[in-house]
């Protein structure tokens, strides 16, 4: 719906993860918008049609609560939902200033529709498996001198981390009592080996 993430389409540059490395890209950070929308509509009880979690955990929400989108690398990843409420639904999206930190911005999505009465929806997540942290780092020759130049130099661009398999449940709460709990997603966040760039140019003497 929002089109390709390009400068021509009005997107700005921001940092994004590319193959595990943080690099600037047009429309970087767009997944925070799709994640916020996902959290809003799933808690409004609307049907999720297409949802994919990130391959590695993100910092702005809990594991099992994110939704990624992508229009690059030869394949598209989308997030979509269906209005199954039986009435009209309106979405309102805003960027707000964080009351606790005036330099920080927050994304807010509100869903307006039929009154749910004494019922509301909550998300619960559960770690079902931990994937061990790799012990051997990945060494890459920095032939373009992006991080380091000389053979006695090295730069760690990704720290080693463990992975997780997480189940997400949609819980129906009526009059303060949980009346239903359904698994709606299983997300796998990969473990990662440390990635270290090493220089390829001998120092002159």
């Amino acid at each position: 719906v929002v089109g390709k993430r390009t400068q021509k389409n009005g997107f700005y540059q921001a940092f994004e993860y590319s193959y595990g490395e943080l690099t600037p890209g047009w429309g970087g950070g767009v997944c925070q918008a799709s994640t916020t929308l996902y959290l809003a509509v799933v808690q409004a009880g609307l049907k999720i049609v297409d949802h994919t979690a990130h391959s590695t955990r993100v910092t702005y929400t809990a594991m099992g609560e994110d939704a990624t989108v992508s229009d690059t690398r030869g394949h598209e990843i989308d997030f979509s939902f269906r209005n199954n409420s039986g009435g009209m639904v309106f979405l309102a999206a805003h960027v707000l200033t964080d009351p606790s930190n005036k330099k920080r911005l927050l994304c807010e999505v509100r869903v307006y529709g039929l009154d749910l009465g004494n019922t509301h929806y909550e998300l619960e997540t559960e770690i079902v498996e931990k994937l061990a942290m790799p012990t051997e780092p990945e060494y890459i020759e920095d032939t373009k001198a992006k991080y380091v130049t000389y053979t006695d130099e090295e730069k760690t661009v990704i720290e080693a981390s463990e992975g997780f398999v997480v189940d997400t449940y949609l819980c129906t709460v009526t009059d303060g009592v949980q009346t239903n709990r359904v698994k709606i997603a299983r997300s796998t966040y990969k473990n990662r080996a440390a990635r270290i760039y090493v220089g390829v140019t001998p120092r002159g003497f």
Side-chain angles (χ1 to χ4, degrees), residues 69-117:
V69 291
S70 175
D71 62 4
T72 57
R73 303 188 186 99
H75 67 282
E76 292 187 355
I77 300 174
D78 201 3
F79 166 64
S80 60
F81 65 97
R82 178 175 295 117
N83 175 14
N84 60 332
S85 68
M88 296 185 69
V89 168
F90 298 88
L91 301 176
H94 307 275
V95 174
L96 309 173
T97 301
D98 186 347
S100 62
N101 184 354
K102 299 300 182 182
K103 295 182 179 181
R104 184 169 179 256
L105 300 177
L106 302 175
C107 180
E108 178 189 76
V109 173
R110 295 187 178 190
V111 181
Y112 296 92
L114 295 177
D115 189 352
L116 299 178

Side-chain angles (χ1 to χ4, degrees), residues 39-57:
L39 291 173
V41 299
V42 76
Q43 292 178 82
L46 302 180
K47 180 177 177 59
I48 305 303
V49 176
D50 191 2
H51 162 260
T52 304
H54 289 78
S55 59
T56 55
R57 62 193 304 182

